[in-house]
Amino acid sequence: MARPREFDPDDAIERAMNVFWQHGYDGASLADLLAGMGLTRGSLYKAFKDKHSLFLRVLKRYEQGAVAQAVEFLSAEDIPDGTARIEAMFGGIVDTVVSGDKRGCLLCSAAAGPSSYDEDIAAAVKTGLQQMHGGFSTALAASDIPTSQHATLADLLVTQYVGLRIMSRSVDQLDILTRSAEAITQLLRHPKH
């Protein structure tokens, strides 16, 4: 009879997420993962197969959590003006950095790193970014911006979001982040008609 697992796989994935979030996919060593997850090498391999498979599960968890929350916020009807939702999201990036959290976005870090050479990670990143695009599109639909501009603006907002979240990991980029968030507000409040 097989021995039951001595750890909670969901908790282990959550802990792995924190390791990958801190170190990135390439920077997270096996030793980092084992220490962060509180597992032995055998337990990690038996439960998750390898680092790659574990990272894909972590990305899926991140999309179900953080990405879904962002999309939910962008779709929140309790803020009737979709432009205000988008502004708040970009302002939140700055606020997060000011509060001392410079982890950025795990999905965005994956977009800038391993998705460039790994098809499975690229597919997971594409799914998450499509969800963000959908959230921005929903917010734009609740704005005064002409519908003809929504698709292009949603593309631009996704790229700005990814860029700002990656830059938020940098040492001293607060001034650039702040100006960029302000530029998004200007763009949304004064679009070309």
Side-chain angles (χ1 to χ4, degrees), residues 6-76:
E6 298 175 8
F7 65 92
D8 178 359
D10 287 334
D11 181 56
I13 290 171
E14 196 70 30
R15 290 171 179 257
M17 183 186 314
N18 290 326
V19 173
F20 284 124
W21 211 343
Q22 179 181 0
H23 298 286
Y25 177 72
D26 292 321
S29 68
L30 180 59
D32 293 329
L33 289 165
L34 294 176
M37 297 169 73
L39 298 180
T40 64
R41 182 185 304 247
S43 294
L44 185 141
Y45 286 130
K46 184 174 182 179
F48 302 108
K49 188 178 170 189
D50 56 25
K51 176 180 168 180
H52 182 261
S53 299
L54 175 61
F55 188 66
L56 290 173
R57 288 190 57 185
V58 163
L59 277 179
K60 184 171 184 151
R61 168 72 60 86
Y62 189 81
E63 288 172 7
Q64 292 169 341
V67 174
Q69 287 175 353
V71 171
E72 185 179 332
F73 177 80
L74 288 167
S75 306

Side-chain angles (χ1 to χ4, degrees), residues 115-133:
S115 72
S116 67
Y117 59 81
D118 186 288
E119 290 180 14
D120 295 329
I121 294 173
V125 166
K126 182 178 179 181
T127 298
L129 294 180
Q130 285 174 334
Q131 291 172 19
M132 289 299 298
H133 190 280

Side-chain angles (χ1 to χ4, degrees), residues 61-139:
R61 168 72 60 86
Y62 189 81
E63 288 172 7
Q64 292 169 341
V67 174
Q69 287 175 353
V71 171
E72 185 179 332
F73 177 80
L74 288 167
S75 306
E77 294 180 5
D78 59 326
I79 304 173
D81 179 10
T83 302
R85 297 177 209 160
I86 296 168
E87 291 170 352
M89 169 139 317
F90 281 94
I93 295 171
V94 175
D95 294 342
T96 299
V97 173
V98 168
S99 75
D101 184 349
K102 293 189 173 190
R103 294 178 300 167
C105 166
L106 183 63
L107 178 70
C108 298
S109 295
S115 72
S116 67
Y117 59 81
D118 186 288
E119 290 180 14
D120 295 329
I121 294 173
V125 166
K126 182 178 179 181
T127 298
L129 294 180
Q130 285 174 334
Q131 291 172 19
M132 289 299 298
H133 190 280
F136 285 124
S137 296
T138 299

